[in-house]
Amino acid sequence: QVQLVESGGGSVQSGGSLRLSCAASGYFVGNVCMGWFRQTPGKEREGVAAIDSGDYVGSTSYADSVKGRFTISRDNAKNTLYLQMNSLKPEDTAMYYCAAGFVLGTLRQVDFAYWGQGTQVTVSK
C-alpha cells in the first residue's frame, strides 16, 4: 500500500524559510516521479515543484512563482522527498501536498496517482 506523509509545515514570517518532508512507504521514491502541490481555499491545486525518478539527482521542474526560492530534492536512502522553501512570501500560504506518479517532467495534477494528506504553511507579513 502506497502511503505519503507530509511534515514540516508551520507559521513563519515573510522572508523566512521552511523545509517540508514527505515520507514514503509502499514503494521506492527513486522509482517514481514525485512532486509538491499547494492549494488555498477556493482555488485549484497548483504544481509547485517536481523531480523525476532515477538513482541520482533527478531532473526538476518548478512553477515560475517559486523558481529561485524553492528547491525540491529526495533522499533515496531515507525514502523521503523534501521541499526547501526560502524567501517565503504571504502568497505562499497554502496547504502543501506531496504526490507520486509515473509521468516525467510534469507539474500537472492529473499525472500524479498518489497523494498525501497535506501540511499547512502560513506566511505572515
Side-chain angles (χ1 to χ4, degrees), residues 12 15 17 28 48 50 55 62 65 68-69 74 82 87 95-96 106 108 110 119-120 124:
V12 65
S17 298
F28 175 50
V48 174
D55 293 334
Y62 295 94
S65 59
R69 300 189 298 122
R74 53 180 166 78
Y82 301 101
S87 302
M95 183 71 77
Y96 282 72
T106 179
R108 299 195 314 163
V110 296
T119 185
Q120 178 68 37
S124 59

Side-chain angles (χ1 to χ4, degrees), residues 2-91:
V2 175
Q3 188 173 14
L4 301 171
V5 179
E6 302 96 333
S7 62
S11 298
V12 65
Q13 289 190 326
S14 181
S17 298
L18 283 173
R19 188 176 81 155
L20 305 183
S21 298
C22 173
S25 60
Y27 71 96
F28 175 50
V29 295
N31 288 342
V32 296
C33 302
M34 299 197 71
W36 289 97
F37 291 75
R38 65 186 181 187
Q39 188 172 24
T40 54
K43 292 188 177 181
E44 288 190 5
R45 193 172 296 185
E46 65 168 341
V48 174
I51 185 166
D52 288 345
S53 58
D55 293 334
Y56 303 101
V57 176
S59 177
T60 56
S61 305
Y62 295 94
D64 288 343
S65 59
V66 306
K67 281 181 181 177
R69 300 189 298 122
F70 291 11
T71 303
I72 188 172
S73 62
R74 53 180 166 78
D75 186 329
N76 290 350
K78 296 182 178 179
N79 219 31
T80 300
L81 179 73
Y82 301 101
L83 184 67
Q84 178 66 43
M85 306 186 294
N86 298 328
S87 302
L88 282 162
K89 304 175 181 180
E91 51 263 44

